[in-house]
Amino acid sequence: MADEIKKNNKHLINAPAGSGKTTYIRNQLKSICINKPESRILCITYTNRAADELKKNLESANITVSTIHSYINDLISPFYSHKEVLDLYCEMYAEKINERIANVTNDEHIKKSNQYYTEKYGKLTEKTVHENLLEISYGETPFTSLYTGKLSHDDLLMFANKLIKRYPVLLKKIGDKYNYIFIDEYQDTSSYVLDIFYDAVKNRENVQIYLFGDRMQQIYRNYDGSFEGKLKEFDTSDRLEVNFRSIGKIVSILNNIYNDSSFEQQPTESNANVVPDIEPHVIISSNVPESIYTLQKKFPKILVLYLMNKEKYEEIGAKNLYDAYRGMEAYTFGRKYSPTDILSDMSNDNPDILMKFLFLLNNVIGLYIDKNYGMVISICKKEIKYFDSSQFKIKKHADKKSIKNKFDKIIEIYEKDGCLIREVIESLFDNGFIPEKVKNDFEENIEYQKVLDIEMKEVSNLANYLSMPHISTQHGVKGESHTSVIFVASDNGNTPNVRMYPFFELWSELEFSLPQFEELFYSYKKIIEEVEKELGMKVSKLTAKTHNKNEKNKTILSKYSKQVLEKYQGNLLFEALCKEDFIAYLKKPNVKNVQKIFKITEIEGILTAYKLFYVGCSRARKNLIIMVEKNKIMNFKEKFVDKAKKIGFTVLS
């Protein structure tokens, strides 16, 4: 229990999907409030929704519940106008600011932005940006506004870490204030944040920190592995061992996939002997779409989990929206949010200001078309972040008529064939419903230009789909439970890097667990970073000139290749995935062979597939089916079938 005296003040609690983590944390908070009412508690969650869930019926003034970004912003925002902070910002972003000023690609949107800045301040140089920057801020956006110092989601965390490293006195604001710190979903928490809290509680016996989460759900690259050494200092003796979600047969399969007794779960007594409608199955199919269709006829409400998105967004009628967000750097694989996260969240938790607004606008327009005028006015007056609430004040009948006339003009634009998002936003501004600042936030953002030129109908199509979803895509693999689930196995060689069938082949051959795989991944990744630092370039960029004719580089690569073979001698995973390539290079050190070594992509792709497979299976409460393409497993079909049966599946071929 959290209210007990602990010698080690750092704790890591494994909390797999379905383990009742939220209930557990709430009970710990209540226990502390009862037994140690003077204690001050900080709870850090991943989303506003999770924060609201934790706060239910917890009325103690000593409990602070906040999202990561909100808390970090509150921690450092009092110093946003300090000279030292402004100097640090300009120091950190000088290179990017100069690149934007130079605009060597002659990007039209950057050009317009630069012209706007010049018109406002007289000239645009790194020096003028520094001089005119009076305060930085957190923009709650995926992109940092370099000239105005408005930090993005990711940059806020990085900047806070750098600021606190430089001025560690800021850590006292954490360590002196709280006795207990709870961090939820630690596996998706940036190392920048984990570092801050680790330093805040270090050598402070009066502060206990608890990290909750599940390494199997660590699908994104928010966590880069740099905190691994410090994680080993955490006490892991407490764990959540009961799965409240799934029936006994599925829990058994999950335990067998994890393959580590220290992470084993038990079903609840009421779920232990529940008989599924269909036994857990692996279906090896030569026509996957047809097999899925057959199952959907039998189980109309079955959830289909696809790893790939493009085809699904085409079905929805929102392909261009997906392509536009997929092309944004802020939502590339490994960042905090994926395109699917942005395009599947109609709540206020959506981190993308444009998509959040478009979902809101779609709702408002729908209500207006349905003549639900009272609700329209109420929403527009409430959502002051986007709408000019003064435009929706009604004192006399003429005010109602004026608002209706303006809305009618907007609806006329909206209902026009091929109406673009840009045109609707312009119409909202022209009619005074949104202020210029909101319009500029959208139109001056380079990353949003492709979105603005997409038809508004795609937003409507997407919203309609999300209101009654029957298909979950890619990172939707990670989420709420469902009675019946079909997990559709597939590879992706681009982004995200998912190698499901190579994982199945390796899994059919070897016995391994997540900790074993992660240990190889993070240590090997660190070696690659050391190699490339010494080379001064990426191994993948080596050419005949920089390799064959460069004895220094060959010596470096040969030295590290021997070290790697020695370090991982007897490591079955390394031997299966990498060993032969290193031996081949040492025998014949040429460009062709060097391109095969010191590569993380294969290990990363298989590890990601391993996690997605586990997490996808964990979504099922009662019925679980794995759909596999027959031609993808022909070379190892017999071993794959044996492995699937061994862990608890019935196999149909």
Side-chain angles (χ1 to χ4, degrees):
M1 295 290 287
D3 59 349
E4 294 175 356
I5 301 296
K6 310 271 187 172
K7 289 183 179 180
N8 184 348
N9 70 331
K10 299 181 290 292
H11 314 275
L12 191 156
I13 297 182
N14 186 58
S19 61
K21 177 185 60 179
T22 302
T23 301
Y24 178 86
I25 294 174
R26 284 170 54 77
N27 288 339
Q28 295 303 299
L29 298 179
K30 288 177 182 178
S31 177
I32 294 169
C33 288
I34 292 169
N35 296 306
K36 295 186 176 182
E38 75 288 350
S39 294
R40 294 180 302 277
I41 309 164
L42 172 64
C43 289
I44 298 294
T45 67
Y46 209 60
T47 64
N48 288 316
R49 201 176 307 161
D52 291 341
E53 184 66 27
L54 271 180
K55 283 188 280 192
K56 278 183 185 175
N57 303 320
L58 291 174
E59 298 177 359
S60 172
N62 285 345
I63 299 177
T64 300
V65 182
S66 177
T67 62
I68 294 168
H69 290 79
S70 180
Y71 178 76
I72 294 296
N73 182 50
D74 289 345
L75 179 69
I76 66 172
S77 60
F79 310 99
Y80 279 161
S81 60
H82 287 212
K83 181 182 181 300
E84 295 85 356
V85 174
L86 297 173
D87 288 347
L88 176 62
Y89 172 84
C90 291
E91 176 189 320
M92 286 176 61
Y93 293 97
E95 186 177 344
K96 288 186 176 181
I97 289 170
N98 284 317
E99 285 176 1
R100 188 176 176 88
I101 292 171
N103 190 20
V104 293
T105 59
N106 204 27
D107 186 286
E108 275 301 314
H109 300 298
I110 294 179
K111 188 176 179 182
K112 285 181 183 178
S113 175
N114 288 352
Q115 286 173 347
Y116 176 80
Y117 190 95
T118 303
E119 288 168 7
K120 186 173 182 179
Y121 294 106
K123 60 180 178 177
L124 173 58
T125 64
E126 182 192 340
K127 185 180 179 183
T128 57
V129 169
H130 196 162
E131 289 172 348
N132 293 318
L133 189 62
L134 304 178
E135 184 178 38
I136 63 171
S137 62
Y138 170 41
E140 298 184 48
T141 65
F143 317 104
T144 290
S145 179
L146 291 168
Y147 299 161
T148 61
K150 191 182 287 186
L151 296 166
S152 70
H153 301 304
D154 290 341
D155 283 354
L156 171 71
L157 305 183
M158 178 178 70
F159 185 78
N161 183 279
K162 300 292 184 187
L163 180 65
I164 291 170
K165 293 288 186 189
R166 184 167 292 190
Y167 303 105
V169 68
L170 288 170
L171 292 171
K172 290 174 67 64
K173 292 186 70 176
I174 303 173
D176 287 352
K177 187 172 183 179
Y178 299 106
N179 304 105
Y180 293 90
I181 298 170
F182 293 79
I183 299 179
D184 193 12
E185 304 286 9
Y186 84 91
Q187 79 280 352
D188 288 329
T189 302
S190 165
S191 292
Y192 291 127
V193 174
L194 295 176
D195 256 336
I196 289 170
F197 284 102
Y198 175 88
D199 289 342
V201 305
K202 188 169 58 177
N203 301 322
R204 284 179 175 265
E205 293 181 4
N206 63 317
V207 186
Q208 301 283 326
I209 184 169
Y210 289 81
L211 305 185
F212 293 85
D214 179 14
R215 298 295 285 260
M216 268 296 190
Q217 296 187 67
Q218 193 181 75
I219 295 169
Y220 314 123
R221 288 183 191 159
N222 303 340
Y223 176 70
D224 61 5
S226 60
F227 198 71
E228 286 300 288
K230 292 174 183 175
L231 273 179
K232 290 176 181 176
E233 298 176 24
F234 283 64
D235 178 9
T236 59
S237 58
D238 289 337
R239 57 177 67 96
L240 304 186
E241 297 177 333
V242 177
N243 185 311
F244 294 91
R245 173 186 291 180
S246 304
I247 67 170
K249 288 191 175 184
I250 292 175
V251 173
S252 176
I253 286 171
L254 294 174
N255 287 335
N256 288 332
I257 295 172
Y258 217 122
N259 197 29
D260 189 318
S261 59
S262 61
F263 294 99
E264 199 164 289
Q265 285 188 290
Q266 302 298 323
T268 62
E269 189 176 336
S270 59
N271 279 340
N273 298 310
V274 172
V275 178
D277 300 316
I278 180 173
E279 290 296 312
H281 267 68
V282 170
I283 297 178
I284 301 172
S285 174
S286 54
N287 190 332
V288 169
E290 186 178 302
S291 298
I292 292 171
Y293 179 69
T294 301
L295 284 165
Q296 285 177 316
K297 284 196 295 184
K298 187 174 181 180
F299 303 100
K301 293 183 179 180
I302 200 164
L303 180 70
V304 184
L305 297 178
Y306 286 90
L307 294 180
M308 308 314 300
N309 292 296
K310 189 174 180 180
E311 295 78 7
K312 295 303 108 191
Y313 283 102
E314 283 178 351
E315 289 179 24
I316 295 166
K319 177 184 176 297
N320 293 316
L321 263 179
Y322 172 68
D323 286 344
Y325 273 94
R326 187 178 62 166
M328 294 184 192
E329 183 184 350
Y331 303 127
T332 53
F333 185 71
R335 292 300 187 100
K336 179 181 179 184
Y337 300 105
S338 70
T340 298
D341 293 327
I342 302 306
L343 297 176
S344 61
D345 188 351
M346 292 197 291
S347 75
N348 274 329
D349 275 344
N350 194 318
D352 188 85
I353 57 169
L354 177 54
M355 207 62 228
K356 180 158 61 176
F357 173 70
L358 292 175
F359 280 135
L360 175 66
L361 178 61
N362 184 76
N363 183 36
V364 167
I365 289 173
L367 290 168
Y368 185 82
I369 291 171
D370 290 341
K371 299 184 179 180
N372 196 339
Y373 303 133
M375 186 62 75
V376 169
I377 299 298
S378 175
I379 291 173
C380 293
K381 287 171 75 174
K382 179 184 176 185
E383 297 290 343
I384 58 174
K385 186 174 181 178
Y386 293 113
F387 293 103
D388 183 347
S389 60
S390 67
Q391 297 293 313
F392 300 95
K393 291 180 180 177
I394 299 174
K395 294 182 179 179
K396 50 186 183 291
H397 181 71
D399 294 333
K400 289 183 180 180
K401 191 172 180 181
S402 173
I403 292 170
K404 186 176 186 305
N405 288 339
K406 290 178 179 180
F407 256 116
D408 286 343
K409 291 177 184 177
I410 294 165
I411 297 299
E412 185 179 347
I413 297 288
Y414 173 82
E415 292 183 336
K416 183 183 69 175
D417 282 347
C419 167
L420 304 181
I421 292 170
R422 187 187 300 278
E423 293 175 301
V424 178
I425 289 174
E426 287 287 352
S427 181
L428 286 164
F429 173 70
D430 292 342
N431 286 283
F433 284 175
I434 62 171
E436 185 175 13
K437 181 185 179 302
V438 171
K439 182 174 81 83
N440 290 343
D441 279 346
F442 300 148
E443 293 186 345
E444 291 181 6
N445 193 313
I446 297 164
E447 296 274 15
Y448 282 151
Q449 299 311 308
K450 287 183 180 179
V451 179
L452 295 174
D453 290 327
I454 291 168
E455 290 185 18
M456 188 70 192
K457 184 168 180 56
E458 291 207 11
V459 177
S460 177
N461 291 340
L462 184 58
N464 289 339
Y465 163 80
L466 292 172
S467 298
M468 43 184 179
H470 60 285
I471 292 172
S472 182
T473 54
Q474 196 187 303
H475 301 305
V477 166
K478 181 177 172 180
E480 298 301 319
S481 64
H482 206 276
T483 301
S484 303
V485 167
I486 300 174
F487 179 90
V488 184
S490 62
D491 292 327
N492 186 40
N494 298 313
T495 302
N497 173 22
V498 181
R499 306 195 180 196
M500 189 61 66
Y501 287 95
F503 160 67
F504 283 153
E505 184 171 9
L506 186 69
W507 185 58
S508 301
E509 292 278 352
L510 299 177
E511 288 290 328
F512 55 82
S513 66
L514 179 68
Q516 291 169 337
F517 214 126
E518 283 196 323
E519 186 176 350
L520 171 63
F521 173 72
Y522 288 123
S523 63
Y524 187 51
K525 183 169 176 271
K526 189 173 181 181
I527 291 170
I528 292 172
E529 289 168 357
E530 291 172 4
V531 172
E532 293 182 339
K533 183 178 180 181
E534 197 164 332
L535 287 172
M537 66 188 302
K538 296 280 186 184
V539 173
S540 60
K541 299 294 183 183
L542 286 166
T543 63
K545 182 179 180 180
T546 54
H547 180 269
N548 297 357
K549 298 179 181 179
N550 189 315
E551 290 302 319
K552 180 185 175 184
N553 284 349
K554 282 201 285 187
T555 300
I556 292 169
L557 290 160
S558 178
K559 176 186 71 174
Y560 276 101
S561 293
K562 291 172 183 175
Q563 288 179 8
V564 163
L565 287 170
E566 184 179 345
K567 178 180 177 67
Y568 296 115
Q569 186 177 3
N571 185 307
L572 297 180
L573 287 167
F574 177 82
E575 290 180 354
L577 296 171
C578 310
K579 183 177 179 179
E580 288 183 8
D581 292 328
F582 278 96
I583 291 172
Y585 175 74
L586 289 172
K587 284 182 179 178
K588 196 172 183 180
N590 55 32
V591 171
K592 182 181 177 182
N593 285 336
V594 80
Q595 298 293 342
K596 297 176 183 177
I597 62 173
F598 297 116
K599 288 175 67 175
I600 200 67
T601 49
E602 184 177 13
I603 295 176
E604 179 185 59
I606 293 174
L607 177 58
T608 302
Y610 182 13
K611 292 178 178 181
L612 284 170
F613 180 56
Y614 175 90
V615 173
C617 291
S618 75
R619 294 282 299 275
R621 292 198 294 266
K622 188 177 182 182
N623 304 305
L624 173 62
I625 297 167
I626 311 299
M627 193 67 65
V628 175
E629 290 183 50
K630 185 177 182 178
N631 67 322
K632 295 280 187 72
I633 63 162
M634 290 307 295
N635 292 337
F636 57 96
K637 182 181 175 183
E638 188 176 334
K639 289 183 177 180
F640 174 74
V641 170
D642 288 344
K643 185 62 175 270
K645 288 179 178 178
K646 181 181 177 183
I647 72 163
F649 285 105
T650 297
V651 180
L652 294 179
S653 180

